Amino acid sequence: MRGLSAFPITPTSEDGQPILDDLCGLVRRLAGSGVDSIGLLGSTGGYAYLDPGQRRQVVEAALQAADVKVPVIVGVGALRTDTAESLARHATDAGAAGLLLAPMSYTPLTDDEVLQHFQAVADASDLPICIYNNPTTTHFTFSPQLLARLATLPTVTAVKMPLPADGDFAAEIDLLRRDLPPGFVVGYSGDWGCTSALLRGADAWFSVAAGLWPEQTALLARAASDGDQTATALSQDRFGPLWKLFRDHGSLRVVYAAANILGLTTARPPRPILPLPDPIHAEVGAAVAALES
């Protein structure tokens, strides 16, 4: 769970079927790139837009493409606990290295319901579980108290946090480490703020950008993890246009446009999400050029 985890998109056809050849091409690019893990079927991977059978196809194809060169963490979030349990068992049998679990819901969930949901998935698999704290999409926020309760489950070993609203990573990380057991992995998503998290002692960066630019993102992550503020700032400058696009339009729309520009897939975002309009697509092209130069 530590280090840089790269989250690729899951290309799909117009009728929502995974394009496995394109997915495997993306995974193979990552497998030899120096990232510490691949995060399959996270939000960037569109797990919420795929049915369980499609998700199993994606897991099997991606693990074969990764060819054990890099650990693969599989997202197993689902509306129903029994579905999440089944996906966890499948990921385990297929050779995944870890699980990423978000509490998806339609009816708002209580802390006790989320705790029992995690307990059930932990009972279904012996793989380490990363808590996916993504209130923007799930509309559920993990309190420090709930994180501490979940951390008593032996296989719950990490948390993927959103960027703190006040930008005070140091205070939040200190608070989390006070309540969580020694060695518990504290990582962040929200690419534009993650180097600040690493500079202030976070253990992991769960990265959208690394799914398309693994080498460039790895250089940035290493500089920040080493505490090299000068090298971090220089590398951040190259990413600046991309981070602005992520903030303005959502990272999922942007990485689909970038993957098209890079010739990695012709897939569009899953409907009802629409592709970026042409003027913004041109801005993505400029951001891609800045990273590829």
Side-chain angles (χ1 to χ4, degrees), residues 12 24 26 35 38 40 47 81 88 94 108 113 135 148 150 152 165 181 192 199 211 252 257-258 282 287 290:
T12 55
C24 290
L26 291 168
V35 300
I38 295 172
L40 191 69
Y47 74 100
T81 297
E113 288 166 342
L150 289 168
T152 64
W192 54 92
L199 285 166
L252 185 65

mmCIF file of all heavy atoms in Angstrom, residues 12 24 26 35 38 40 47 81 88 94 108 113 135 148 150 152 165 181 192 199 211 252 257-258 282 287 290:
data_model
loop_
_atom_site.group_PDB
_atom_site.id
_atom_site.type_symbol
_atom_site.label_atom_id
_atom_site.label_comp_id
_atom_site.label_asym_id
_atom_site.label_seq_id
_atom_site.Cartn_x
_atom_site.Cartn_y
_atom_site.Cartn_z
ATOM 1 N N THR A 12 -14.050 1.323 -22.009
ATOM 2 C CA THR A 12 -15.250 0.544 -22.339
ATOM 3 C C THR A 12 -15.805 1.004 -23.676
ATOM 4 O O THR A 12 -15.579 2.136 -24.118
ATOM 5 C CB THR A 12 -16.337 0.697 -21.258
ATOM 6 O OG1 THR A 12 -16.631 2.077 -21.063
ATOM 7 C CG2 THR A 12 -15.895 0.086 -19.940
ATOM 8 N N CYS A 24 -5.311 -3.881 -21.022
ATOM 9 C CA CYS A 24 -4.055 -4.603 -20.835
ATOM 10 C C CYS A 24 -2.862 -3.792 -21.319
ATOM 11 O O CYS A 24 -1.778 -3.845 -20.723
ATOM 12 C CB CYS A 24 -4.114 -5.950 -21.549
ATOM 13 S SG CYS A 24 -5.250 -7.125 -20.762
ATOM 14 N N LEU A 26 -2.631 -0.544 -21.135
ATOM 15 C CA LEU A 26 -2.383 0.431 -20.069
ATOM 16 C C LEU A 26 -1.654 -0.223 -18.899
ATOM 17 O O LEU A 26 -0.708 0.347 -18.341
ATOM 18 C CB LEU A 26 -3.705 1.033 -19.593
ATOM 19 C CG LEU A 26 -4.437 1.942 -20.574
ATOM 20 C CD1 LEU A 26 -5.855 2.225 -20.079
ATOM 21 C CD2 LEU A 26 -3.678 3.251 -20.781
ATOM 22 N N VAL A 35 6.314 2.292 -10.760
ATOM 23 C CA VAL A 35 5.302 2.575 -9.738
ATOM 24 C C VAL A 35 5.315 1.431 -8.727
ATOM 25 O O VAL A 35 5.746 0.312 -9.025
ATOM 26 C CB VAL A 35 3.897 2.757 -10.340
ATOM 27 C CG1 VAL A 35 3.887 3.921 -11.323
ATOM 28 C CG2 VAL A 35 3.402 1.482 -11.016
ATOM 29 N N ILE A 38 -0.407 -0.936 -8.749
ATOM 30 C CA ILE A 38 -1.470 -0.513 -9.668
ATOM 31 C C ILE A 38 -2.787 -0.599 -8.914
ATOM 32 O O ILE A 38 -3.095 -1.622 -8.291
ATOM 33 C CB ILE A 38 -1.511 -1.405 -10.916
ATOM 34 C CG1 ILE A 38 -0.223 -1.251 -11.728
ATOM 35 C CG2 ILE A 38 -2.727 -1.078 -11.779
ATOM 36 C CD1 ILE A 38 -0.098 -2.234 -12.883
ATOM 37 N N LEU A 40 -6.439 -0.918 -9.442
ATOM 38 C CA LEU A 40 -7.423 -1.303 -10.457
ATOM 39 C C LEU A 40 -8.840 -1.089 -9.914
ATOM 40 O O LEU A 40 -9.122 -1.373 -8.749
ATOM 41 C CB LEU A 40 -7.215 -2.771 -10.809
ATOM 42 C CG LEU A 40 -7.956 -3.326 -12.023
ATOM 43 C CD1 LEU A 40 -7.393 -2.735 -13.302
ATOM 44 C CD2 LEU A 40 -7.863 -4.848 -12.034
ATOM 45 N N TYR A 47 -15.298 1.679 -11.496
ATOM 46 C CA TYR A 47 -15.904 0.476 -10.920
ATOM 47 C C TYR A 47 -17.412 0.595 -10.756
ATOM 48 O O TYR A 47 -18.147 -0.388 -10.914
ATOM 49 C CB TYR A 47 -15.248 0.142 -9.574
ATOM 50 C CG TYR A 47 -15.630 1.041 -8.408
ATOM 51 C CD1 TYR A 47 -16.573 0.626 -7.480
ATOM 52 C CD2 TYR A 47 -15.030 2.286 -8.233
ATOM 53 C CE1 TYR A 47 -16.922 1.430 -6.404
ATOM 54 C CE2 TYR A 47 -15.367 3.093 -7.162
ATOM 55 C CZ TYR A 47 -16.313 2.663 -6.247
ATOM 56 O OH TYR A 47 -16.654 3.465 -5.185
ATOM 57 N N THR A 81 -23.300 -5.743 0.500
ATOM 58 C CA THR A 81 -22.177 -6.381 1.178
ATOM 59 C C THR A 81 -21.848 -7.729 0.548
ATOM 60 O O THR A 81 -20.667 -8.065 0.364
ATOM 61 C CB THR A 81 -22.486 -6.553 2.674
ATOM 62 O OG1 THR A 81 -22.659 -5.259 3.262
ATOM 63 C CG2 THR A 81 -21.355 -7.270 3.392
ATOM 64 N N ALA A 88 -14.291 -9.596 -3.450
ATOM 65 C CA ALA A 88 -13.057 -9.759 -2.685
ATOM 66 C C ALA A 88 -12.514 -11.172 -2.812
ATOM 67 O O ALA A 88 -11.300 -11.385 -2.988
ATOM 68 C CB ALA A 88 -13.302 -9.410 -1.218
ATOM 69 N N ALA A 94 -7.770 -14.601 -7.900
ATOM 70 C CA ALA A 94 -7.140 -14.214 -9.165
ATOM 71 C C ALA A 94 -5.699 -13.761 -8.995
ATOM 72 O O ALA A 94 -4.976 -13.640 -9.980
ATOM 73 C CB ALA A 94 -7.956 -13.112 -9.829
ATOM 74 N N PRO A 108 -28.168 6.518 2.975
ATOM 75 C CA PRO A 108 -26.986 6.914 3.750
ATOM 76 C C PRO A 108 -26.672 5.895 4.852
ATOM 77 O O PRO A 108 -27.584 5.373 5.514
ATOM 78 C CB PRO A 108 -27.390 8.270 4.345
ATOM 79 C CG PRO A 108 -28.401 8.814 3.385
ATOM 80 C CD PRO A 108 -29.167 7.615 2.906
ATOM 81 N N GLU A 113 -22.934 0.441 10.353
ATOM 82 C CA GLU A 113 -23.163 -0.295 9.110
ATOM 83 C C GLU A 113 -21.880 -0.406 8.287
ATOM 84 O O GLU A 113 -21.585 -1.474 7.725
ATOM 85 C CB GLU A 113 -24.267 0.393 8.309
ATOM 86 C CG GLU A 113 -25.642 0.201 8.925
ATOM 87 C CD GLU A 113 -26.706 1.123 8.359
ATOM 88 O OE1 GLU A 113 -26.349 2.159 7.739
ATOM 89 O OE2 GLU A 113 -27.903 0.822 8.541
ATOM 90 N N PRO A 135 -15.501 11.001 0.121
ATOM 91 C CA PRO A 135 -16.844 11.544 0.346
ATOM 92 C C PRO A 135 -17.452 12.241 -0.869
ATOM 93 O O PRO A 135 -18.678 12.344 -0.965
ATOM 94 C CB PRO A 135 -16.637 12.524 1.508
ATOM 95 C CG PRO A 135 -15.174 12.823 1.516
ATOM 96 C CD PRO A 135 -14.509 11.597 1.010
ATOM 97 N N ALA A 148 -10.230 4.508 13.427
ATOM 98 C CA ALA A 148 -9.575 3.777 14.507
ATOM 99 C C ALA A 148 -10.287 2.456 14.792
ATOM 100 O O ALA A 148 -9.639 1.427 15.053
ATOM 101 C CB ALA A 148 -9.530 4.635 15.765
ATOM 102 N N LEU A 150 -12.022 0.688 12.574
ATOM 103 C CA LEU A 150 -11.738 -0.200 11.447
ATOM 104 C C LEU A 150 -10.318 -0.753 11.519
ATOM 105 O O LEU A 150 -10.060 -1.891 11.108
ATOM 106 C CB LEU A 150 -11.949 0.550 10.131
ATOM 107 C CG LEU A 150 -13.396 0.855 9.765
ATOM 108 C CD1 LEU A 150 -13.454 1.851 8.612
ATOM 109 C CD2 LEU A 150 -14.142 -0.415 9.403
ATOM 110 N N THR A 152 -8.794 -1.820 13.915
ATOM 111 C CA THR A 152 -8.667 -2.980 14.799
ATOM 112 C C THR A 152 -8.877 -4.283 14.043
ATOM 113 O O THR A 152 -8.541 -5.353 14.560
ATOM 114 C CB THR A 152 -9.679 -2.901 15.964
ATOM 115 O OG1 THR A 152 -11.017 -2.967 15.446
ATOM 116 C CG2 THR A 152 -9.496 -1.614 16.758
ATOM 117 N N ALA A 165 -9.620 19.881 3.749
ATOM 118 C CA ALA A 165 -10.243 21.117 3.281
ATOM 119 C C ALA A 165 -9.404 22.340 3.612
ATOM 120 O O ALA A 165 -9.362 23.302 2.839
ATOM 121 C CB ALA A 165 -11.641 21.253 3.886
ATOM 122 N N PRO A 181 -2.910 2.458 14.556
ATOM 123 C CA PRO A 181 -1.787 1.656 15.054
ATOM 124 C C PRO A 181 -0.487 1.964 14.323
ATOM 125 O O PRO A 181 -0.503 2.445 13.180
ATOM 126 C CB PRO A 181 -2.236 0.219 14.813
ATOM 127 C CG PRO A 181 -3.396 0.280 13.899
ATOM 128 C CD PRO A 181 -3.952 1.645 13.928
ATOM 129 N N TRP A 192 -3.245 17.043 -7.277
ATOM 130 C CA TRP A 192 -2.590 18.341 -7.185
ATOM 131 C C TRP A 192 -2.092 18.658 -5.774
ATOM 132 O O TRP A 192 -1.238 19.513 -5.595
ATOM 133 C CB TRP A 192 -3.533 19.440 -7.666
ATOM 134 C CG TRP A 192 -4.857 19.450 -6.960
ATOM 135 C CD1 TRP A 192 -5.195 20.148 -5.845
ATOM 136 C CD2 TRP A 192 -6.012 18.699 -7.334
ATOM 137 N NE1 TRP A 192 -6.497 19.883 -5.483
ATOM 138 C CE2 TRP A 192 -7.027 19.004 -6.387
ATOM 139 C CE3 TRP A 192 -6.298 17.818 -8.377
ATOM 140 C CZ2 TRP A 192 -8.300 18.447 -6.454
ATOM 141 C CZ3 TRP A 192 -7.575 17.260 -8.437
ATOM 142 C CH2 TRP A 192 -8.553 17.576 -7.495
ATOM 143 N N LEU A 199 5.467 15.456 1.343
ATOM 144 C CA LEU A 199 6.459 16.302 2.001
ATOM 145 C C LEU A 199 6.242 16.370 3.499
ATOM 146 O O LEU A 199 7.180 16.613 4.270
ATOM 147 C CB LEU A 199 6.430 17.707 1.406
ATOM 148 C CG LEU A 199 7.072 17.879 0.021
ATOM 149 C CD1 LEU A 199 6.677 19.222 -0.586
ATOM 150 C CD2 LEU A 199 8.599 17.766 0.112
ATOM 151 N N GLY A 211 -1.525 6.783 -13.744
ATOM 152 C CA GLY A 211 -2.101 5.798 -14.636
ATOM 153 C C GLY A 211 -1.755 6.030 -16.098
ATOM 154 O O GLY A 211 -1.808 5.106 -16.908
ATOM 155 N N LEU A 252 -11.395 12.456 -14.104
ATOM 156 C CA LEU A 252 -11.831 11.358 -14.974
ATOM 157 C C LEU A 252 -12.020 11.831 -16.410
ATOM 158 O O LEU A 252 -11.543 11.185 -17.358
ATOM 159 C CB LEU A 252 -13.131 10.754 -14.441
ATOM 160 C CG LEU A 252 -13.632 9.518 -15.194
ATOM 161 C CD1 LEU A 252 -12.661 8.361 -15.039
ATOM 162 C CD2 LEU A 252 -15.018 9.111 -14.700
ATOM 163 N N ALA A 257 -9.609 12.131 -22.077
ATOM 164 C CA ALA A 257 -9.153 12.944 -23.205
ATOM 165 C C ALA A 257 -7.663 12.744 -23.445
ATOM 166 O O ALA A 257 -7.207 12.626 -24.600
ATOM 167 C CB ALA A 257 -9.461 14.417 -22.944
ATOM 168 N N ALA A 258 -6.883 12.690 -22.369
ATOM 169 C CA ALA A 258 -5.438 12.508 -22.506
ATOM 170 C C ALA A 258 -5.107 11.136 -23.087
ATOM 171 O O ALA A 258 -4.204 11.009 -23.932
ATOM 172 C CB ALA A 258 -4.771 12.687 -21.149
ATOM 173 N N ALA A 282 -8.314 20.759 -26.404
ATOM 174 C CA ALA A 282 -7.065 21.381 -26.848
ATOM 175 C C ALA A 282 -6.187 21.749 -25.657
ATOM 176 O O ALA A 282 -4.948 21.624 -25.714
ATOM 177 C CB ALA A 282 -7.376 22.622 -27.683
ATOM 178 N N ALA A 287 -1.397 20.309 -22.022
ATOM 179 C CA ALA A 287 -0.907 19.732 -20.782
ATOM 180 C C ALA A 287 -0.147 18.435 -21.030
ATOM 181 O O ALA A 287 0.882 18.162 -20.400
ATOM 182 C CB ALA A 287 -2.079 19.489 -19.817
ATOM 183 N N ALA A 290 3.276 19.228 -22.324
ATOM 184 C CA ALA A 290 4.181 19.687 -21.257
ATOM 185 C C ALA A 290 4.783 18.495 -20.504
ATOM 186 O O ALA A 290 5.950 18.549 -20.090
ATOM 187 C CB ALA A 290 3.428 20.601 -20.297
#
